[in-house]
Amino acid sequence: MPQSLLIRNGRVIDPSQEIDETASLLLVDGRIEAIGRDVGGGSGEVIDAGGQIVSPGLIDMHVHLREPGQEHKETIETGTAAAAAGGFTAVACMPNTDPPLHDDTQVEYVLRQAARVGHCRVYPIGALTRDRAGRQLAEIGLMVRAGAVAFSDDGDGIADAGVCLQAMRYVGMFGKLLIQHCEDRTLTGGCMNAGPTATRLGLPGMPGIAEEVMTTRDITLVRATGTRYHAAHVSTAGMVDAVRRARAEGLPVSTEVCPHHLLLTDEACSTYDPNTKMSPPLRSAADVEACLEGVRDGTIEALITDHAPHTHSEKEVGFQNAPFGIIGLETSLALFAKALIDPGLQTWPQLIEKMSTRPAQLLQVPGGTLKVGQPADVTIFDPEREWTIDVERSRSLSRNSPFDGWQVRCPVTATIVGGKVRYRG
Ligand code: DOR
C-alpha cells in the first residue's frame, strides 16, 4: 500500500514555482505527488490546513548540534526535535564539536546518528582547517565524499590570509560553499558590542570593524578564486554594505542573518543577562536598521538561527566569562515574522524563500520546493495565532534564550519530513 498524506485547503506558498494560492498537496511514498486546487485522493491521513500556510520545509543552514562531544548541551536527537518543532525539515550543523568535524569519520558519525535518532534531515558542515586551528587544511576531499555539504571553521574565522586563500581554492574545486565566521581577533576580544553601552557597563567591547575587516579581505580573495563564499551571521551595517557591493560586482558572495540581530540592540545587555551574549554580539540600533534593510533589498539571502545551546551552569558565570550563543530553533519563524512580516519588510513568499528555497540552493541540497517528484518536506504554520515563548517547554537540552516570555505569532502546526509527520503543534 502506498503511504499517502493529503494536506487540504491551505495557503500553499512555494517561491520556487511562484505559487501562492489556496490549494491542496498530495504526498505519496515520501515524494510530492500533486499540487493544485483540485488535488484529492490518497487513502492515508488528511490534514485540513484551512487558514494556515503550507510551505516547503524550512531549512536552517547554521545550527550547532554539539554532537559528538558536548552531549550535555545538545544531542542530534534533541537538537533535531527542537528543529522539527520550529518547522525545520533540515538543518546544516556546524563542525565546532569535540572532536571537530574535520575528517570523514566525524561526518559519517553525524550522518549515521541523524539517520538513527534524527527528527529531521541533517547536513554536516565540515571544518576548513584541522582542529579548526586555522593553520592546516582539514580533510576536505574525504569529507565531501562522506557527505559534507559546506565548509566552515564557525566560531572562529580563518585569520591567516594565505590559509584562507588555500581553503577557498580547495573548497572551490569541489564546488562547495565556504562559510566564514567573519571576525578578525586582532581587533576584538571583548564580550559585547563596543560602544556607549559597553562603556557604561564596564565591559570590554567587540568592535564591528573586526567583522568588516575579515569580510572585505575575503571578498578580495573571492575575486581571485571565484569560490562561492557565504559570510556567516551578519550583524553590522558595514558588513551588509560590503556584501551588497560584492554582489553588485557579480561576485558569488552571500550572507545570512539571525532573528536576534534584527530584534535586539546591545542595550539588551544592560541587565548582564548572559543570554544576551553571542558572537557576533548584539549591535547598535543603526546596525539593526541596516540588517533589516539588507533583508528587504535582498542583500541578505538566508534567515538562520545560529542555534547555540549552552547549559545553565555554563552560562551563569557572569557576563564576561559566559560562553557566546543562544538557542533559536523553536522560535525563529515567529521572531522573523515579528521582525519582517509585521512591519511589512517582507511578504510571506519572500520570507519563505529565505528560510527554505535559498538555503537549499546555497547548500545544493534537495528541498526548498514543492515541485512534483521532490522529497515531501513540508511545513504548516498558523500565521495569525498568538503564542508565548516559554523556554521551559523547549525540546532542546538547553534554555539559553533572551526571548523567554515574548508574545509572538505563527506557531508551527506540522512538520513533515519525507512524507512523515515528525512534529504536530
Ligand atoms: O554565539 C555563538 N556561539 N557564535 C558562534 O559563532 C559559535 C556559537 C557556539 O558554538 O556556541
Side-chain angles (χ1 to χ4, degrees), residues 33-203:
E33 176 80 9
I35 175 171
R37 282 176 209 276
D38 307 318
V39 166
S43 50
E45 187 187 342
V46 178
I47 294 179
D48 186 352
Q52 317 221 9
I53 291 180
V54 178
S55 81
L58 305 181
I59 300 173
D60 187 345
M61 62 185 288
H62 191 141
V63 309
H64 299 270
L65 291 180
R66 304 299 191 209
E67 199 180 337
Q70 298 165 326
E71 289 84 353
H72 61 292
K73 297 174 194 268
E74 194 78 286
T75 65
I76 288 172
E77 180 168 16
T78 57
T80 55
F88 293 102
T89 56
V91 296
C93 62
M94 285 296 175
N96 60 340
T97 49
D98 186 13
L101 311 183
H102 61 183
D103 67 33
D104 50 345
T105 44
Q106 290 92 32
V107 170
E108 280 161 10
Y109 170 82
V110 168
L111 286 171
R112 243 198 330 269
Q113 195 64 344
R116 205 167 64 82
V117 297
H119 297 265
C120 70
R121 298 179 202 274
V122 175
Y123 297 116
I125 296 173
L128 282 165
T129 65
R130 185 110 209 124
D131 292 317
R132 297 177 48 259
R135 285 191 288 274
Q136 189 191 341
L137 288 195
E139 291 291 356
I140 290 171
L142 292 181
M143 286 191 279
V144 169
R145 201 144 36 129
V149 297
F151 292 90
S152 179
D153 273 1
D154 185 56
D156 297 291
I158 298 191
D160 186 307
V163 173
C164 192
L165 179 66
Q166 209 187 358
M168 266 190 205
R169 291 214 169 107
Y170 215 71
V171 170
M173 266 168 31
F174 295 99
K176 298 289 178 194
L177 188 69
L178 187 148
I179 304 174
Q180 180 81 291
H181 175 113
C182 298
E183 187 179 10
D184 184 325
R185 289 274 158 81
T186 62
L187 296 170
T188 183
C191 62
M192 70 170 287
N193 183 42
T197 311
T199 306
R200 180 166 58 80
L201 298 177
L203 292 172

Side-chain angles (χ1 to χ4, degrees), residues 202-282:
L203 292 172
M206 303 164 79
I209 54 167
E211 272 184 50
E212 291 148 32
V213 163
M214 190 170 280
T215 314
T216 46
R217 178 204 73 181
D218 286 355
I219 289 169
T220 305
L221 300 179
V222 172
R223 210 174 276 124
T225 58
T227 295
R228 294 191 304 121
Y229 174 87
H230 188 76
H233 36 48
V234 66
S235 74
T236 72
M239 194 164 152
V240 175
D241 206 45
V243 171
R244 185 181 286 120
R245 278 184 280 118
R247 292 169 61 77
E249 204 187 307
L251 296 175
V253 171
S254 55
T255 192
E256 57 182 29
V257 73
C258 306
H260 41 276
H261 291 123
L262 300 177
L263 286 165
L264 298 172
T265 67
D266 55 1
E267 277 290 321
C269 304
S270 295
T271 56
Y272 295 94
D273 176 359
N275 294 332
T276 61
K277 177 177 176 181
M278 69 290 288
S279 171
L282 299 174

